[in-house]
Amino acid sequence: MAISSSSSMQDMFKQRKYPFIFSLFLLLIFVTFLLISNSQKSPIFAAIDFAQRAALIKSVPEFNPNTITTSNSTNLHQSDENNNTSINRESLLNNVRIDPETSNVPLKINPELTDTAIRDELETFSYHWKLCPGPLAVDYIPCLDNWKAIKKIKSRRHMEHRERHCPVPSPRCLVPLPKGYKLPLPWPKSRDMIWYDNVPHPKLVEYKKDQNWVKKSGDYFVFPGGGTQFRDGVNHYIEFIEETFPTIQWGKSIRVLLDVGCGVASFGGYLLDKNVITMSFAPKDEHEAQIQFALERGIPATLSVIATKKLAFPDNVYDMIHCARCRVHWHADGGRPLMELNRILRPGGYFIWSATPVYKKDEGHKNVWKVMVNLTEAMCWKMVARTFFKRGRVGLVIYQKSDSSSCYENRKENIPPMCDQKKNRLNSSWYTPLDNCLLPLASSSYKWPAPWPQRLNTKPLSLSLETDAEETFNQDTRHWASLVSDVYLGSLAINWSSVRNVMDMNAGYGGLATALIDRSLWVMNVVPISGPDTLPIIFDRGLVGTYHDWCESFNTYPRTYDLLHSSFLFGNFSQRCDLVDVAVEMDRIVRPGGYILVQDTLQMIKQLGSILRSLHWSVTLYQHQFLVGKKDFWRPKDIARE
């Protein structure tokens, strides 16, 4: 056959049939072109959020996302060997976008082309998983339950034992389920009642029985809406605050609030009705499992403590901070705890202190009040209200932080001193000691964010003044709106009606949370410390979040989130930590029946999917870049050694 074909071709040349040969050559080129073009992805899927792509490269920590200029073409390159997307350093400095309003490329996934099974494409991963040991393993939080490190702490005077002490290496055991664990009750029912077996900690029922925190009723814990400072109900307390100081407009000028020492987070839970999103926090565990109760109820909350390190929030971001008998000695250690509140409170923002020194007249309480007055005056905080709530038998005081530097400049003594302005403060709160100084403010009055909900899509105050920054921000918002509506909500096997607690593991500008704002859920926007610092922008939009290093365990109880999301997050892990450890942490955080939604390179999805399958998750691949994993109730039988 080969000789015959060669002879025929020679005859064609001898007979000078050049037109036919030329036509055959063109046909071959055309067929080759069709084969190549059909193998390429739609260009819409090459649009990657700049902040999330920047997190892929560890070598550019100094990179400022607000100086990016917009590019209309991508610098992403396809690898023919593994169909993997690689990103070079130059492409990081371009904000790659396809504008959903002008693009002719449809964003929807074609169901007929969707991969319904990833099994045949995954790499083989085998590991002998074991349960975490010990009687407290069911609530194990690696960085807060590292007892070997905690026992070595020389002093606990400043609550050092409640701070993060992460084990090295990270444990690869799996937390067991509580006996009788059930799928959580849906929101809004969960605000008022949860399954007892999911958080089987009855001590608060007895310890706080006179304050209406929580009661046990059959198979449920019931939350009447009481608290230490609002025994007759939190709604009356919330209304009393607004009546005391009408300038406070819940859900308009006041949108983002921090509740210190929050109990079971009823204050934040009921403020949701007024369009106020509250980050409730308390340490683990002055009152047994209070933050676990809050998250099981579907209320935003995190584990943290004001001790020796800064809270994992940016400077000048909270509209209001609230403390109702939160057991923090604000004047201790030269006033550092209160200076930490000053750091994270927005200029012109409010601090509500509801506590006994506000109204009790015995010598001990009077001395605490006197110290508090001196400290707040030295910090240029103005007392705008002080009153007593007869119905709740509670006294409270409302302070307002200064919104300009004029007060600082006119102080008789520079105590507390001003912080060094030359010091770089981006991502500066992660494992950083508390300041004993005050942040400088602008010489002119600070501009407050737009009222909610306009605030969500208004140019953030923290956004760079660079020429293209606002357009980049707006394009990012449009990108996420299209991706969420056309892909996440419309094409993926996720039951969104069962999703309440969401975590965006690398949130960028908060585009995912913005696109989901009308759904009955909330998003914890996490900004990795190794990437651009976009967290102030997230707070400016009226959303909440925190800093984190995903090479360590997150400050939350097991089984507290319904969905974890990431977009091109895992590429920089190989040099810093192991993807297996990150997968174990994701398994710890997600509830049975919950999901992970990952957009990443095919190579990374194969690695992560293989690990998840070994954990008995169901995994589904869409368009070779979206991985949906669903956790079931499986737990191993063997127990790891202590």
Side-chain angles (χ1 to χ4, degrees):
M1 292 295 293
I3 296 174
S4 176
S5 298
S6 176
S7 176
S8 299
M9 185 63 69
Q10 290 175 2
D11 290 340
M12 291 176 68
F13 276 100
K14 288 178 180 179
Q15 297 172 22
R16 299 187 178 183
K17 295 182 178 180
Y18 297 126
F20 178 81
I21 297 173
F22 182 73
S23 299
L24 185 64
F25 181 71
L26 288 178
L27 180 62
L28 180 62
I29 292 175
F30 180 73
V31 171
T32 304
F33 174 78
L34 285 177
L35 290 173
I36 293 174
S37 62
N38 285 338
S39 68
Q40 300 299 310
K41 296 177 184 177
S42 167
I44 193 66
F45 294 118
I48 306 172
D49 178 81
F50 84 93
Q52 294 163 334
R53 285 189 295 114
L56 290 168
I57 304 298
K58 183 186 176 185
S59 61
V60 286
E62 74 284 1
F63 170 55
N64 183 353
N66 297 325
T67 63
I68 294 176
T69 57
T70 303
S71 171
N72 293 323
S73 61
T74 74
N75 285 320
L76 306 184
H77 306 287
Q78 294 292 333
S79 170
D80 293 331
E81 294 181 359
N82 57 14
N83 196 29
N84 185 25
T85 301
S86 62
I87 301 175
N88 60 29
R89 184 182 178 92
E90 181 182 356
S91 71
L92 277 173
L93 303 180
N94 292 296
N95 184 34
V96 182
R97 280 293 179 275
I98 300 294
D99 189 340
E101 295 182 359
T102 60
S103 175
N104 294 322
V105 181
L107 190 61
K108 291 185 178 180
I109 291 178
N110 185 347
E112 296 179 359
L113 300 178
T114 297
D115 300 307
T116 57
I118 193 175
R119 185 172 294 118
D120 296 336
E121 299 196 40
L122 293 182
E123 301 172 3
T124 301
F125 180 83
S126 179
Y127 190 84
H128 185 194
W129 297 109
K130 296 182 180 181
L131 291 175
C132 299
L136 303 179
V138 70
D139 292 329
Y140 180 51
I141 306 171
C143 290
L144 299 181
D145 293 331
N146 185 0
W147 299 111
K148 290 182 179 179
I150 292 173
K151 289 177 181 178
K152 296 179 181 178
I153 296 174
K154 295 180 179 180
S155 172
R156 299 190 178 190
R157 178 186 174 191
H158 297 293
M159 300 285 286
E160 292 91 340
H161 60 298
R162 301 296 187 192
E163 294 183 310
R164 292 172 61 83
H165 303 279
C166 298
V168 179
S170 299
R172 288 190 177 176
C173 60
L174 306 182
V175 293
L177 293 175
K179 186 178 180 181
Y181 183 88
K182 306 175 184 67
L183 293 178
L185 296 173
W187 180 269
K189 186 177 182 180
S190 63
R191 187 187 71 172
D192 300 321
M193 59 193 305
I194 63 174
W195 292 114
Y196 172 85
D197 286 339
N198 287 11
V199 191
H201 298 297
K203 289 184 180 179
L204 272 180
V205 175
E206 179 63 26
Y207 185 61
K208 295 290 185 178
K209 62 182 179 181
D210 296 331
Q211 298 175 12
N212 281 329
W213 279 33
V214 57
K215 297 180 179 180
K216 189 176 184 300
S217 176
D219 293 334
Y220 303 96
F221 279 123
V222 177
F223 301 89
T228 304
Q229 295 293 83
F230 34 88
R231 302 178 187 182
D232 295 331
V234 66
N235 273 332
H236 297 300
Y237 178 74
I238 291 171
E239 292 170 1
F240 173 69
I241 292 173
E242 196 165 25
E243 291 171 1
T244 299
F245 192 60
T247 302
I248 294 175
Q249 296 177 306
W250 298 122
K252 294 179 181 178
S253 62
I254 301 298
R255 162 65 183 173
V256 183
L257 189 147
L258 182 71
D259 191 14
V260 183
C262 60
V264 293
S266 290
F267 183 65
Y270 280 80
L271 277 174
L272 289 169
D273 291 341
K274 295 184 176 290
N275 284 324
V276 175
I277 186 164
T278 303
M279 179 72 81
S280 300
F281 87 85
K284 188 198 179 185
D285 195 359
E286 293 305 301
H287 299 313
E288 189 178 73
Q290 52 188 326
I291 295 299
Q292 194 173 18
F293 278 124
L295 289 164
E296 185 71 16
R297 297 173 71 185
I299 300 172
T302 188
L303 287 160
S304 193
V305 63
I306 300 178
T308 67
K309 304 289 192 303
K310 293 180 181 179
L311 300 172
F313 306 123
D315 303 339
N316 302 320
V317 292
Y318 280 102
D319 305 336
M320 177 180 285
I321 300 176
H322 172 259
C323 158
R325 295 279 293 276
C326 55
R327 302 176 68 181
V328 177
H329 301 291
W330 298 114
H331 59 282
D333 198 18
R336 291 187 187 222
L338 198 62
M339 280 184 264
E340 175 63 359
L341 294 196
N342 182 79
R343 179 185 72 83
I344 62 176
L345 186 61
R346 190 177 297 280
Y350 301 96
F351 173 53
I352 299 178
W353 188 37
S354 177
T356 50
V358 176
Y359 65 95
K360 288 196 173 182
K361 302 300 181 182
D362 60 272
E363 196 64 26
H365 283 97
K366 286 170 66 177
N367 288 336
V368 172
W369 174 252
K370 182 178 179 180
V371 173
M372 193 70 168
V373 168
N374 292 336
L375 180 58
T376 53
E377 287 180 352
M379 292 169 51
C380 291
W381 282 17
K382 179 182 178 182
M383 186 192 304
V384 295
R386 182 187 181 189
T387 187
F388 183 77
F389 182 29
K390 292 183 179 179
R391 180 170 181 171
R393 303 181 298 280
V394 170
L396 63 82
V397 60
I398 303 176
Y399 295 102
Q400 184 177 24
K401 178 180 173 178
S402 177
D403 63 355
S404 71
S405 63
S406 57
C407 176
Y408 298 150
E409 295 167 355
N410 294 326
R411 292 185 301 170
K412 294 180 180 179
E413 293 183 291
N414 190 32
I415 301 175
M418 305 306 296
C419 299
D420 185 2
Q421 288 182 290
K422 297 179 181 179
K423 185 178 179 181
N424 179 17
R425 299 189 65 86
L426 294 180
N427 290 355
S428 64
S429 63
W430 187 250
Y431 286 123
T432 305
L434 291 178
D435 285 333
N436 62 345
C437 57
L438 304 177
L439 290 181
L441 297 174
S443 55
S444 58
S445 295
Y446 178 83
K447 184 180 179 182
W448 194 263
W452 182 263
Q454 293 89 344
R455 174 175 179 171
L456 184 64
N457 292 304
T458 302
K459 179 183 177 182
L461 301 174
S462 301
L463 197 65
S464 168
L465 298 178
E466 294 291 330
T467 305
D468 295 329
E470 186 172 4
E471 179 57 25
T472 298
F473 170 78
N474 292 332
Q475 286 184 352
D476 181 83
T477 301
R478 291 194 296 266
H479 165 72
W480 281 104
S482 296
L483 185 63
V484 168
S485 64
D486 293 342
V487 179
Y488 286 9
L489 299 179
S491 301
L492 305 183
I494 295 175
N495 178 14
W496 287 94
S497 64
S498 68
V499 174
R500 171 62 186 172
N501 300 352
V502 177
M503 181 185 293
D504 194 352
M505 298 174 69
N506 57 329
Y509 282 151
L512 175 72
T514 301
L516 293 171
I517 198 66
D518 292 327
R519 300 196 69 87
S520 185
L521 53 80
W522 67 277
V523 179
M524 175 71 84
N525 294 281
V526 180
V527 172
I529 61 166
S530 57
D533 186 4
T534 55
L535 195 53
I537 293 172
I538 289 171
F539 276 91
D540 282 350
R541 303 187 79 171
L543 307 171
V544 294
T546 185
Y547 296 117
H548 187 60
D549 180 356
W550 283 112
C551 291
E552 299 179 357
S553 173
F554 193 82
N555 272 15
T556 192
Y557 282 92
R559 305 170 302 278
T560 45
Y561 282 84
D562 301 301
L563 186 145
L564 300 188
H565 171 265
S566 73
S567 181
F568 299 94
L569 169 66
F570 302 112
N572 68 339
F573 280 179
S574 59
Q575 296 180 356
R576 300 180 57 239
C577 50
D578 197 317
L579 185 61
V580 176
D581 297 326
V582 181
V584 169
E585 176 64 2
M586 295 167 77
D587 179 86
R588 188 185 72 86
I589 294 174
V590 175
R591 294 164 168 167
Y595 305 90
I596 65 162
L597 170 52
V598 174
Q599 181 185 19
D600 219 304
T601 64
L602 182 58
Q603 179 183 4
M604 194 58 63
I605 282 177
K606 285 182 177 181
Q607 293 178 22
L608 180 60
S610 301
I611 299 168
L612 292 177
R613 278 195 61 214
S614 76
L615 292 165
H616 291 239
W617 287 51
S618 64
V619 289
T620 310
L621 175 66
Y622 298 84
Q623 291 289 303
H624 287 80
Q625 66 169 310
F626 296 102
L627 175 71
V628 175
K630 186 174 182 180
K631 180 180 176 180
D632 68 8
F633 282 74
W634 176 83
R635 295 288 86 178
K637 295 181 180 179
D638 293 341
I639 301 175
R641 294 182 179 180
E642 294 194 47

